[in-house]
């Protein structure tokens, strides 16, 4: 039985919506911007300096094109209001606000930004969309939600796809923005998990000699999770930076409701993503039976539980902010997650600036083959493209041109160049031009640091063995169940195998609830990204 | 006369309408939702019979959270009652500075639970928090307050006791101030000491207020979720999850609206039954004590 039994409520809501719409209705002529004199000359210097001392003094040139300051300032949106929902300040929320203010200043339109904590963002965006109410014209959200959002989004129009900025977006992030062959999300960020490590400690002859003596092995950037564990154990509890305080081996995102699922997938990637086996790592593509409790995932969880001894105090409940602070603040030797901790370490006021190094995620010496149900003995590394912020315009929005103009302005070359350098903004490389070491050297990064950074990131783009996020309807539920299982194992409530068996049962239930066909069809998009790259 | 009575009853309408809108309608709506498959990817309220209730019976996380809350609420309310009563007796007897103490004792209750939990989160921080600094100064080992199950539950109980003991204090002090003077005068004439007067006069006379205070606090404690959200987010693992927090995760974060509706109703019924039994038992126990 399919019904809308709350007809009375719907009627009241509809009446209220109609009244509101009638009061704020824009006629078609108002949707299009009027032309006005440009406020910027082509190639003007752009800086955020006038918005406060929290912004860098860096200046970049406005790059000519349809999203430039010069072009957008020709448009007159006065009389129109754009409604935007974004994450809480600062991560992605602060650039949303900053560019909204700039957009208002140069177009005359009004831009209202609502900032919402991560835990409420999904619901606050999706509920009005499902109810058919265009509460927001522009939405900023994690790109892995595309399976839930896609039915309510307006595809990115051709003229925006042809801009220089959009043409420069990497193939992987254009794929992330695409659903059923159409670009539905407007790329504004690129995220991957990679390894961050204190190069000064690794390259110090004193520490190298001590490590060799203690373990019989050379001290170098770890290429497997086993090496990672060995190094983390050897340095945990030592004062390796000589500041009189204990340092620790590793910081990881382990707080259940704070993106732990991403950390776990990073650890599992080399054990589960076998380059010789096609068909996805999370489910059996044909039967949709969850694979989350197969030996590769179990091994990764065993590793993670073992790593507890190398974490700083409180490390078994670290959120992303704690991980950023722990590595970026110099407390730990290594960490792996998004760019933030690395960029934090490279901020001009950081005491460990230019002593850090980026490297690919550690791999494994064997990888599980789910077809033969045996471990294949071979060195394996897998890149993990873990969501990244994205943006989109609501299909029901009556300000679509203004909305897309805002997004193309948000991500124009000048703004993106400045945003990339502000760690707290959470805007990370997603265009080919962002992988030029010279850009980072201009920010005061050492040549070696910049090279290792761009090589690591661009190397992931080129790696054919890649894992992408689940990206199916109900992805939050799947990841919540996974995080709960991981947290239960980390807390010692259950063994890794039992915890992941529980997750597999939960996943099967969620699939039944949402509908096997619906999830399967969406999951094939993910598998295509992994197998056809 | 009938016309006047009808006219008078019209005055009840706004109240009844409000009651319907804020209690009856949401309750009926929740009952309907609990029999639907409404979730994040299916906003339609498809009727699915008792499937949500069947799934709930199999959900150990839900049942464990209820057991945990019973222990947590029972323990904290008992401590709050004991400390609150002690504080009320102290202020009741102590004439000098009574107003000052009253205000001081009430400060924790005036602070928003979320803010209070955030402050305690800093206090219990494993490496930066003053609690572990204090232990260090005393030569004791640091305790992972928020990252191990046992200490995390202790931390949660501490925050609850800290925040809500003043409420208990306020109710019990009001009760003490309203007690008649005659029984105390009679006890004094009979030569009863302080302790005897307390057990034979003060405590029995305070029984009705005590039951009311404990029940009110138990009702409040059954909704415990805000400090869990801030302090531990239900972790480590799910070892500090309460039903309120679990319902938040299922209903609002994961948008399992139908399922969370079924759990909410079940939890509501369980709480009504449990608290009714507790109230009856407490009343009987304290009355017996008073009669002896």
């Amino acid at each position: 039985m399919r019904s809308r039994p709350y007809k009375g409520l719907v009627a009241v809501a509809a009446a209220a919506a109609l009244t509101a719409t009638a009061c704020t209705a824009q006629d078609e002529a108002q949707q299009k911007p009027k032309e006005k004199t440009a406020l910027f000359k082509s190639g003007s210097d752009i800086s955020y300096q006038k918005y406060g001392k929290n912004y860098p003094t860096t200046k970049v040139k406005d790059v000519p094109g349809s999203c430039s300051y010069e072009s957008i300032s020709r448009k007159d949106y006065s009389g129109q209001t754009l409604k935007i929902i974004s994450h809480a300040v600062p991560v992605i929320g602060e650039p949303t606000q900053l560019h909204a203010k700039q957009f208002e200043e140069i177009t005359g339109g009004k831009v209202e930004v609502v900032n919402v904590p991560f835990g409420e963002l999904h619901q606050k965006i999706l509920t009005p969309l499902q109810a058919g109410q265009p509460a927001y014209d522009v939405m900023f959200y994690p790109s892995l939600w595309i399976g839930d959002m896609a039915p309510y989004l307006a595809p990115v129009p051709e003229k925006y796809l042809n801009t220089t900025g959009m043409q420069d977006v990497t193939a992987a992030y254009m794929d992330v923005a695409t659903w059923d062959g159409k670009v539905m999300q407007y790329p504004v960020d690129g995220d991957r998990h990679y390894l961050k490590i204190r190069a000064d400690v690794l390259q110090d002859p004193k520490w190298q000699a001590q490590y060799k003596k203690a373990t019989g092995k050379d001290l170098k950037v770890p290429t497997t999770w086993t090496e990672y564990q060995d190094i983390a154990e050897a340095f945990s509890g030592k004062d390796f930076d000589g500041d009189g305080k204990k340092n620790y081996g590793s910081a990881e995102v382990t707080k259940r409701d704070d993106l732990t699922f991403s950390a776990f997938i990073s650890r599992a990637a080399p054990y589960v993503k076998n380059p010789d086996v096609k068909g996805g790592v999370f489910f059996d593509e044909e039967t949709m039976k969850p694979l989350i409790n197969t030996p590769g995932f179990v091994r990764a969880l065993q590793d993670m539980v073992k790593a507890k001894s190398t974490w700083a105090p409180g490390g078994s409940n670290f959120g992303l902010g704690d991980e950023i602070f722990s590595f970026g603040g110099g407390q730990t030797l290594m960490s792996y997650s998004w760019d933030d901790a690395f960029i934090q370490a490279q901020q001009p006021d950081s005491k460990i600036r230019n002593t850090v190094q980026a490297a690919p995620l550690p791999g494994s010496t064997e990888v599980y083959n789910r077809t033969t149900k045996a471990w294949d003995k071979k060195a394996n590394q897998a890149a993990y493209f873990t969501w990244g912020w994205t943006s989109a315009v609501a299909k029901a929005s009556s300000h679509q041109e203004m909305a897309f103009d805002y997004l193309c302005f948000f991500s124009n070359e000048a703004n993106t160049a400045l945003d990339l350098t502000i760690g707290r903004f959470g805007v990370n490389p997603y265009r080919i031009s962002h992988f030029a070491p010279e850009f980072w050297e201009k920010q005061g990064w050492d040549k070696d640091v910049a090279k290792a950074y761009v090589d690591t990131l661009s190397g992931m783009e080129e790696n054919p063995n890649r894992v992408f996020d689940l990206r199916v309807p109900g992805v939050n539920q799947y990841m919540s169940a996974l995080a709960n299982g991981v947290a239960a194992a980390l807390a010692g409530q259950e063994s890794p195998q039992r915890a992941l068996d529980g997750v597999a049962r939960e996943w099967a239930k969620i699939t039944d609830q949402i509908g096997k066909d619906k999830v399967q069809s969406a999951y094939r998009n993910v598998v295509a990204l992994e197998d056809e790259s | 006369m009938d016309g006047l009575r009808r006219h008078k009853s019209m005055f009840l309408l706004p109240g009844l309408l409000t009651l319907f809108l804020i209690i009856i309608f949401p309750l009926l709506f929740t009952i309907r939702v609990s029999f639907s498959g409404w979730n994040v990817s299916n906003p339609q309220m498809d009727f699915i019979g008792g499937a949500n209730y069947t799934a709930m019976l199999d959900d150990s996380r839900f049942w464990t959270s209820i057991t945990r809350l019973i222990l947590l609420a029972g323990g904290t309310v008992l401590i709050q009652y004991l400390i609150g009563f002690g504080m009320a007796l102290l202020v009741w007897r102590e004439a000098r500075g009574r107003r000052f103490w009253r205000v001081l004792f009430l400060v924790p209750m005036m602070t928003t639970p979320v803010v209070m939990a955030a402050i305690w989160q800093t206090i219990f921080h494993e490496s930066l928090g003053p609690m572990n600094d204090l232990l260090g100064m005393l030569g004791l080992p640091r305790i992972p307050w928020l990252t191990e199950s046992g200490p995390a539950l202790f931390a949660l109980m501490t925050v609850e006791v800290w925040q809500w003991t003043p409420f208990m204090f306020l109710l019990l002090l009001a009760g003490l101030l309203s007690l008649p003077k005659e029984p105390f005068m009679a006890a004094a004439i009979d030569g009863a000491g302080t302790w005897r007067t307390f057990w034979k006069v003060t405590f029995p006379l305070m029984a009705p207020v005590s039951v009311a205070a404990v029940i009110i606090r138990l009702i409040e404690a059954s909704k415990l979720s805000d400090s869990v959200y801030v302090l531990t987010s239900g972790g480590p693992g799910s070892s500090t999850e309460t039903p309120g927090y679990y319902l938040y995760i299922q209903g609002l974060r994961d948008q399992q609206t139908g399922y969370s509706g079924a759990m909410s109703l079940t939890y509501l019924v369980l709480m009504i039954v449990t608290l009714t039994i507790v109230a009856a038992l407490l009343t009987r126990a304290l009355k017996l004590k008073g009669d002896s």
Side-chain angles (χ1 to χ4, degrees):
Chain A
M1 174 182 147
R2 296 182 73 83
S3 64
R4 274 185 179 267
Y6 48 112
K7 280 176 190 160
L9 191 68
V10 171
V12 173
L18 281 172
T19 312
T21 310
C23 294
T24 58
Q26 308 280 337
D27 61 43
E28 279 305 308
Q30 282 178 297
Q31 302 303 306
K32 296 275 175 201
K34 291 172 217 149
E35 283 288 315
K36 64 179 175 63
T37 315
L39 300 174
F40 292 83
K41 286 180 185 162
S42 186
S44 305
D45 279 341
I46 304 297
S47 153
Y48 296 163
Q49 215 174 345
K50 75 170 188 173
Y51 297 102
K53 59 181 180 183
N54 285 334
Y55 295 106
T57 53
T58 318
K59 283 182 185 168
V60 294
K61 295 281 179 201
D62 186 29
V63 177
S66 53
C67 299
S68 66
Y69 276 76
E70 188 262 337
S71 294
I72 296 294
S73 71
R74 285 181 190 280
K75 303 194 177 192
D76 181 359
Y77 277 112
S78 49
Q80 293 197 49
T81 302
L82 195 65
K83 292 185 176 164
I84 300 177
I85 184 165
S86 186
H87 183 240
V89 172
V91 177
I92 218 68
E94 192 175 345
T96 307
Q97 283 188 354
L98 173 69
H99 299 316
K101 195 171 181 184
Q102 293 173 317
F103 191 80
E104 281 186 339
E105 284 169 5
I106 67 174
T107 67
K110 196 173 172 201
V111 184
E112 292 172 357
V113 179
V114 172
N115 294 100
V116 178
F118 191 83
E120 294 170 26
L121 193 57
H122 188 265
Q123 179 212 358
K124 289 260 162 74
I125 293 177
L126 197 59
T127 305
L129 289 176
Q130 286 178 333
Q133 299 298 316
Y136 304 103
D137 303 291
V138 176
M139 290 90 60
F140 285 84
Y141 59 88
S143 57
L144 79 168
W145 293 351
I146 193 169
D148 289 328
M149 303 294 176
Y152 310 104
L153 304 181
V156 180
E158 202 64 32
K159 68 172 178 175
Y160 295 94
L161 291 174
N162 291 331
T163 58
T164 50
M166 193 71 92
Q167 297 282 315
D168 194 29
V169 173
T170 67
Y173 275 93
M174 281 312 291
D175 285 344
V176 164
T178 305
W179 191 255
D180 283 339
K182 282 185 187 166
V183 180
M184 305 301 290
Q185 296 183 152
Y186 205 107
V188 291
D189 173 41
D191 278 337
R192 311 142 189 91
H193 271 196
Y194 62 89
L195 175 67
K196 296 146 232 178
I197 191 159
R198 286 285 293 271
D200 56 335
V201 179
L202 252 63
Q203 288 159 8
D204 186 331
K206 181 186 83 176
W207 290 116
Q208 285 177 340
Q210 276 195 24
Y211 186 74
K212 181 90 177 173
K213 194 178 167 192
T215 65
K217 295 170 189 165
D218 290 328
L219 182 59
K220 60 181 179 61
V221 175
T223 54
T224 65
W225 284 111
T226 310
E227 288 175 5
Y228 182 91
Q229 177 68 16
D230 290 345
I231 296 171
E233 273 177 20
F235 284 91
S236 206
K238 292 203 169 92
D239 175 17
F240 55 68
D241 57 7
D243 65 356
K245 289 182 193 159
K246 273 187 189 173
N247 293 96
Y248 298 90
S250 169
E252 310 187 26
V253 180
T254 53
K255 192 173 182 179
R256 188 186 63 184
D257 298 331
D258 199 346
L259 308 169
T260 302
F261 66 86
S262 288
F264 175 65
I265 294 170
S266 276
R267 276 194 168 268
Y271 293 127
V272 298
K273 183 68 181 80
N274 192 324
D276 300 332
V277 179
K278 303 290 181 196
V281 299
F282 295 112
F283 291 97
D284 181 308
E285 198 186 357
E286 297 309 316
T287 64
M288 288 310 285
K289 186 183 170 212
L291 302 173
I292 197 70
N293 57 343
T294 50
F297 284 106
V298 175
R299 175 82 62 89
L301 191 48
Q302 285 165 342
D303 282 0
M304 206 165 172
V305 172
K306 199 175 165 194
K308 279 178 78 174
S309 63
T310 72
W311 296 342
S316 48
N317 206 30
F318 266 14
L320 179 60
D322 300 307
E323 185 255 349
I324 294 170
F325 170 80
S326 189
F327 179 79
Q331 187 187 30
T332 48
L333 182 73
M334 297 181 287
S335 79
Y336 66 92
S337 76
W338 293 266
D339 273 310
D340 312 73
F342 194 78
I343 301 294
Q344 171 83 6
Q346 283 293 100
Q347 293 291 295
D349 57 351
S350 165
K351 66 176 184 179
I352 58 168
R353 191 175 207 214
N354 287 321
T355 66
V356 291
Q357 187 182 336
L361 275 178
S364 61
T365 52
E366 54 182 358
V367 53
Y368 188 68
N369 185 324
R370 64 181 177 80
T371 312
T372 61
K373 302 205 183 315
W375 288 91
D376 291 346
K377 302 276 179 201
K378 62 179 173 189
N380 190 47
Q381 244 167 341
Y384 173 34
F385 284 75
T386 177
W387 53 280
W389 292 101
T390 196
S391 57
V393 173
K395 197 195 283 179
S397 163
S398 53
H399 301 282
Q400 289 194 5
E401 181 152 359
M402 188 181 184
F404 280 113
D405 273 347
Y406 168 81
L407 289 176
C408 91
F409 171 76
F410 179 105
S411 58
N412 71 26
E413 285 84 344
N415 283 340
T416 307
L418 292 168
D419 292 350
L420 281 172
T421 64
I422 304 172
R424 65 180 188 276
F425 273 21
V427 175
N428 305 125
Y430 64 101
R431 288 179 178 160
I432 296 158
S433 56
H434 299 163
F435 298 117
E438 302 76 35
F439 172 80
W440 299 99
E441 285 172 43
K442 270 189 207 162
Q443 316 305 323
W445 291 26
D446 273 1
K447 203 171 178 177
D448 291 345
V449 177
K451 186 173 182 320
Y453 177 71
V454 299
D455 283 355
T456 300
L457 267 55
S458 59
M460 292 173 70
E461 293 282 338
E462 288 150 20
N463 188 344
N465 198 33
R466 310 192 291 188
V467 175
F468 284 84
D469 280 310
L470 199 48
R471 288 164 42 99
V472 295
V475 63
N476 261 14
Q477 276 176 267
Y478 287 104
M479 292 302 120
S480 176
L482 176 58
N484 197 52
V486 171
L490 290 178
Q493 290 178 313
E494 285 179 331
S495 71
Q497 182 70 63
R498 275 180 61 86
L500 292 178
D501 287 345
V503 177
R505 280 195 299 275
E506 280 291 305
W507 279 24
K509 265 193 232 169
I510 297 165
T511 306
D512 285 345
Q513 218 172 42
I514 294 172
K516 185 183 156 194
D517 294 346
K518 205 170 170 180
V519 181
Q520 190 173 35
S521 154
Y523 186 58
R524 287 194 163 127
N525 276 300
V526 183
V527 175
L529 283 183
E530 289 172 352
D531 288 353
E532 292 162 21
S533 57
Chain B
M1 192 64 188
D2 278 356
L4 184 62
R5 195 173 294 148
R6 203 165 40 241
H7 206 64
K8 276 182 180 173
S9 65
M10 292 293 282
F11 285 102
L12 289 173
L13 270 181
L16 287 173
L17 191 64
T18 310
L19 188 73
F20 178 79
L21 282 176
I22 64 172
I23 297 177
I24 309 294
F25 174 72
L27 187 67
L28 294 175
F29 188 67
T30 308
I31 293 171
R32 173 66 188 91
V33 164
S34 75
F35 290 100
S36 78
W38 186 357
N39 64 44
V40 62
S41 58
N42 175 26
Q44 301 295 320
M45 290 216 296
D46 308 352
F47 181 74
I48 58 165
N52 287 326
Y53 290 91
T54 316
M56 184 190 67
L57 290 174
D58 198 29
D59 188 346
S60 60
R61 207 167 142 193
F62 175 59
W63 297 108
T64 310
S65 73
I66 291 179
T67 316
R68 184 178 298 120
L69 182 85
I70 290 169
L71 297 171
L72 203 67
T76 52
V77 171
L78 179 66
I79 298 169
Q80 287 164 25
Y81 177 72
L82 294 175
I83 301 176
F85 208 160
M87 284 160 56
L89 287 169
L90 192 74
V91 173
W92 180 45
R93 292 280 182 208
E94 175 61 56
R96 290 186 64 182
R98 181 191 283 178
R99 283 188 183 168
F100 170 76
W101 292 114
R102 268 191 225 170
V103 173
L104 189 73
F105 289 159
L106 291 180
V107 167
M109 203 181 79
M110 294 174 193
T111 315
T112 315
V114 171
V115 173
M116 180 61 66
I119 292 167
W120 278 98
Q121 193 186 36
T122 311
I123 293 171
F124 283 124
H125 194 281
E126 203 170 331
S127 53
L128 305 171
M131 190 66 90
N132 270 346
D133 286 348
L134 186 68
L135 292 178
M137 281 160 62
L138 297 171
L140 297 169
R142 287 173 170 266
I143 293 174
W145 292 111
L146 303 175
T147 53
E148 293 290 342
S149 308
L153 277 172
F154 176 82
L156 202 57
M157 288 178 81
T158 306
V159 176
E160 272 295 287
V161 170
W162 172 262
Q163 173 126 49
W164 293 112
T165 298
F167 178 79
M168 205 61 104
F169 157 76
L170 198 66
L171 283 187
L172 294 169
L173 180 64
L176 285 170
L177 291 172
S178 66
L179 293 181
K181 288 188 177 137
E182 293 77 11
F184 294 95
M185 288 163 68
I189 291 165
D190 289 347
T194 310
W195 192 241
R196 197 170 168 77
T197 305
F198 174 76
W199 276 114
K200 293 294 176 185
V201 181
T202 317
F203 190 69
L205 286 174
M206 284 291 287
V209 180
S210 296
V211 172
V214 166
I215 294 298
I216 291 170
R217 270 306 303 138
L218 282 175
I219 293 170
E220 271 296 308
S222 70
K223 295 182 283 185
L224 176 65
S225 59
D226 36 19
S227 48
V228 176
Y229 176 81
V230 178
L231 204 64
T232 62
S233 302
S238 54
S239 58
T240 54
E241 244 172 28
T242 56
Y245 184 72
Y246 187 53
L247 286 170
Y248 155 75
I249 289 181
Q250 289 288 332
L252 293 174
R253 205 194 60 191
D254 292 352
Q255 289 158 272
Q256 292 302 296
T257 318
Y259 184 52
S260 67
M263 287 196 297
S264 305
L265 284 172
T266 307
Y267 182 58
L268 179 70
V269 172
L270 279 174
M271 280 302 109
I272 290 171
V273 171
T274 309
L275 289 171
T276 307
I277 294 169
V278 170
L281 290 175
L282 273 177
T283 308
R284 185 183 295 176
L286 290 170
K287 269 183 183 167
L288 284 173
K289 183 105 186 157
D291 293 343
S292 64

